[in-house]
Amino acid sequence: MVLLLCGAAVHSFRFDELIKYVDDHQEEYVQTLREWVAVESDSSDVTKRAELYRMMDMVGEKLRKMGGKVELVDIGEEQLPDGSSLALPKVVTAQFGSDVNKPTVCVYGHVDVQPAQKEDGWATEPYNLTEINGNLYGRGASDNKAPVLAWIHAVEAFKALDMDLPVNVKYLIEGMEETGSNGLDAMIKSQKSTFFSDVDYIIISDCGWLSKRPALTYGTRGNCYFFAEVEGPKQDLHSGVYGGTVIEPMTDLIGILDTLISPSGTILIPGIRDAVAPFSDEEWKMYQDIEFDVESYREKIGVEQLMYNNKVELLAHRWRHPTVSIHGINGAFSAPGTKTVIPAKVTGKFSIRQVPDMDPAVVEKQVTDHLHSVFAKRKSPNKLKVKMIIGAKPWLADIKHSLYEAGKAAVKRVFNVDADMIREGGTIPIARTFQDVTEKSIIMLPIGGFDDGLHSQNEKMSRVQLSLGMSLTYCRPCEPNSCFVCTGHEWLVAKSHVPVLPKHLPQNTPGNTVECLLQIHKAHVD
Ligand SMILES: CC(C)C[C@H](NC(=O)CN)C(=O)O
């Protein structure tokens, strides 16, 4: 939370009050996160849609209570595979201040989550925020509920103290990010000349650091998500009775999925790499300077071998080369027992993370043509249907833009180290739309840690990481026209902010606040 809540208008006396208020309310912030995590706002599961609607209402209510001008924007319906339709969760927009003499910052985030069940291998109940050794475990804790709340609480502190916000702040919080931000493109287009007309900057904290070093994110990969359905007999069959007499849909599906990517990671779809931007010497040099330890990355994941052992190659394949991942097969027998079935219809789910300058429409054609071509060669009587479900574009920012200069200055002032300039291998579907449609500058400021387990078992947000991230939020009082919000060039961030440290950590570590926090953080993650 960077930022921007820095204030020409804030006197140091009042600034101390602000810091104290935030520190004094840490437990309430965690309690609100607990309430938000308790909502199973899984956007991929239509049976959980009521929870998602409830989640959006909670966000709207929270912002309304803070005195914001809040709207729950209807973004229409989604068509389900069975032909029926279902209302999309409303998008929450909120506005705090409309002073034409102040810049306006729009914070984007999402409060939907990926699926999670205890049986997937979680050590705790995924929807019951549980603190263990300073880590707050729960689905959505890092992706993206805590970062969204951090931004909300930053403004709430100003409001609670009846302090003038030095910038106008807008929020746009959605509930379909994890399934491709359905409906949001259209909403942004339709509100270009209304909600977005006075927005100067867009800030996204839906990403994490790469290591123990603070980072700024300047690129994300896109995602083209496919369903490949193979349909054969009219119902499931006994493999003893029918096996050997029918051409099985599952055999066809595994056969075609195996033509997508080689064991060593080469994508086998013709033409797919044609539009990939060349990896420049400048990029190579940048990647070399980034703090990242390949061996500890390998160990943390728990694999014996990675695809690349060289740091630059590994980062490049994580951020700026495309890849294919196979996620699952619907209709396949997957229970622990030994059912001897021949499934009649199976749907393979896979996605391609794409990079500049790939285009989802082109990828869709390349993948569809390829799968139909390899399927035809099998001469199977079964039917193949290929459908692209998500077509989210990659996003890349200009790191020479003053917004990134401002971000670097803020990190330097808070942490006393230079930010690593990183990209994200994952996708924030709406980032590119913001860029293309609103033509505003976007910065991604990671708050999450490098090992938060996003989309995985035991997702967490550590209290220390949250404190470190939050210290970016508070800017010290500055002279008019000298801070980022006034000039667009610099964030002035308080060095004097001393967050309340988790009680189990040493309270009397010597050194200044920043060194102290970094030492504690290091001890905590080592
Ligand atoms: C299109 C994807 C489902 C989006 C998803 N985004 C994030 O995880 C960002 N929080 C992804 O898988 O990258």
Side-chain angles (χ1 to χ4, degrees):
M1 303 121 282
V2 199
L3 85 115
L4 320 188
L5 307 187
C6 144
V10 183
H11 302 298
S12 52
F13 169 68
R14 304 247 40 207
F15 181 69
D16 289 346
E17 263 184 77
L18 185 66
I19 300 292
K20 183 168 176 348
Y21 180 90
V22 170
D23 289 347
D24 287 350
H25 288 76
Q26 296 283 332
E27 289 313 315
E28 281 165 45
Y29 298 160
V30 171
Q31 178 54 26
T32 310
L33 178 62
R34 184 166 288 118
E35 285 159 21
W36 280 27
V37 165
V39 183
E40 294 191 36
S41 50
D42 173 357
S43 53
S44 69
D45 182 348
V46 293
T47 68
K48 303 266 169 63
R49 194 50 64 90
E51 284 285 271
L52 200 45
Y53 299 152
R54 186 160 76 87
M55 186 73 241
M56 303 322 294
D57 287 342
M58 282 166 72
V59 175
E61 193 48 29
K62 170 108 189 142
L63 291 162
R64 208 172 278 124
K65 271 199 187 139
M66 284 160 50
K69 190 176 144 211
V70 177
E71 269 184 59
L72 265 70
V73 183
D74 188 344
I75 54 166
E77 298 182 328
E78 68 176 313
Q79 300 305 311
L80 301 181
D82 66 1
S84 63
S85 55
L86 185 62
L88 289 164
K90 294 191 168 63
V91 170
V92 180
T93 61
Q95 179 170 357
F96 293 85
S98 56
D99 185 339
V100 289
N101 296 312
K102 292 178 183 175
T104 300
V105 172
C106 175
V107 177
Y108 160 82
H110 69 91
V111 288
D112 60 317
V113 298
Q114 289 272 323
Q117 292 184 43
K118 179 102 187 332
E119 307 83 77
D120 295 342
W122 282 68
T124 58
E125 286 296 336
Y127 294 102
N128 180 11
L129 192 77
T130 308
E131 181 161 3
I132 304 172
N133 295 334
N135 286 321
L136 302 162
Y137 290 93
R139 172 56 89 225
S142 182
D143 183 7
N144 180 221
K145 290 180 177 176
V148 167
L149 274 172
W151 281 104
I152 291 177
H153 287 140
V155 167
E156 189 187 49
F158 277 86
K159 304 297 285 181
L161 293 169
D162 201 20
M163 285 166 70
D164 194 23
L165 269 170
V167 290
N168 304 314
V169 180
K170 287 187 166 182
Y171 293 93
L172 190 156
I173 312 294
E174 67 149 324
M176 289 300 282
E177 192 274 348
E178 297 290 7
T179 52
S181 292
N182 321 17
L184 194 56
D185 273 339
M187 183 233 160
I188 290 172
K189 282 176 195 151
S190 73
Q191 302 227 2
K192 179 177 156 78
S193 54
T194 50
F195 182 80
F196 287 102
S197 64
D198 58 351
V199 169
D200 297 296
Y201 306 105
I202 295 171
I203 309 226
I204 302 177
S205 290
D206 186 13
C207 40
W209 294 6
L210 179 67
S211 66
K212 296 168 197 167
R213 196 183 181 92
L216 296 173
T217 306
Y218 65 93
T220 52
R221 291 196 287 192
N223 186 277
C224 290
Y225 202 112
F226 290 90
F227 283 4
E229 176 195 286
V230 182
E231 185 166 13
K234 62 181 182 198
Q235 63 191 64
D236 291 354
L237 301 171
H238 185 306
S239 67
V241 178
Y242 299 98
T245 67
V246 293
I247 295 165
E248 301 187 14
M250 184 75 95
T251 314
D252 279 342
L253 180 65
I254 302 283
I256 61 170
L257 291 180
D258 194 38
T259 68
L260 294 172
I261 185 161
S262 80
S264 61
T266 305
I267 307 182
L268 306 171
I269 303 157
I272 200 88
R273 287 194 58 93
D274 288 357
V276 176
F279 191 39
S280 67
D281 292 348
E282 199 185 342
E283 272 181 285
W284 184 277
K285 169 84 190 60
M286 268 180 74
Y287 285 26
Q288 253 177 337
D289 293 342
I290 289 172
E291 183 169 318
F292 183 74
D293 182 49
V294 174
E295 190 47 25
S296 60
Y297 176 75
R298 184 195 66 72
E299 264 177 30
K300 278 234 154 30
I301 299 171
V303 293
E304 284 190 2
Q305 189 194 320
L306 293 164
M307 281 200 183
Y308 308 91
N309 294 318
N310 163 293
K311 176 173 83 173
V312 172
E313 284 278 298
L314 193 83
L315 291 177
H317 280 86
R318 180 167 158 176
W319 294 341
R320 54 101 63 236
H321 288 298
T323 190
V324 172
S325 299
I326 298 173
H327 306 295
I329 298 180
N330 195 27
F333 170 62
S334 64
T338 55
K339 188 177 178 188
T340 53
V341 72
I342 298 173
K345 183 166 91 173
V346 281
T347 305
K349 300 183 177 190
F350 63 94
S351 74
I352 300 184
R353 296 284 172 179
Q354 15 91 32
V355 296
D357 301 309
M358 293 168 79
D359 177 356
V362 176
V363 172
E364 179 176 25
K365 179 160 176 9
Q366 287 166 333
V367 170
T368 310
D369 288 354
H370 170 70
L371 287 181
H372 280 292
S373 151
V374 292
F375 187 74
K377 291 195 185 111
R378 298 180 69 86
K379 303 202 184 313
S380 169
N382 297 325
K383 305 269 175 303
L384 170 69
K385 281 189 208 153
V386 181
K387 194 164 167 35
M388 188 169 83
I389 307 294
I390 298 173
K393 290 181 178 173
W395 165 80
L396 196 58
D398 172 9
I399 57 169
K400 299 202 173 82
H401 190 281
S402 56
L403 194 52
Y404 277 84
E405 291 309 314
K408 284 182 197 169
V411 169
K412 182 80 181 170
R413 280 169 190 269
V414 172
F415 298 107
N416 203 21
V417 292
D418 291 323
D420 264 337
M421 299 304 294
I422 65 171
R423 284 165 76 157
E424 183 69 50
T427 307
I428 298 181
I430 212 61
R432 182 67 171 274
T433 309
F434 278 139
Q435 194 171 50
D436 293 350
V437 175
T438 70
E439 296 170 47
K440 310 294 178 191
S441 304
I442 303 163
I443 191 167
M444 291 199 192
L445 281 145
I447 289 178
F450 66 92
D451 59 350
D452 282 355
L454 314 177
H455 296 200
S456 179
Q457 295 89 348
N458 306 321
E459 176 180 349
K460 61 133 174 77
M461 169 60 84
S462 91
R463 283 220 192 210
V464 174
Q465 185 72 29
L466 199 53
S467 285
L468 289 168
M470 283 191 81
S471 45
L472 274 172
T473 315
Y474 308 104
C475 303
R476 74 176 173 191
C478 56
E479 295 301 311
N481 298 319
S482 69
C483 71
F484 165 72
V485 294
C486 307
T487 65
H489 287 288
E490 192 179 18
W491 288 326
L492 294 180
V493 184
K495 283 182 176 171
S496 58
H497 174 212
V498 185
V500 173
L501 300 174
K503 290 196 175 48
H504 67 282
L505 293 173
Q507 300 292 304
N508 55 353
T509 310
N512 69 31
T513 306
V514 170
E515 281 162 0
C516 163
L517 277 172
L518 285 174
Q519 273 181 32
I520 290 166
H521 183 54
K522 190 165 179 309
H524 182 71
V525 292
D526 274 346

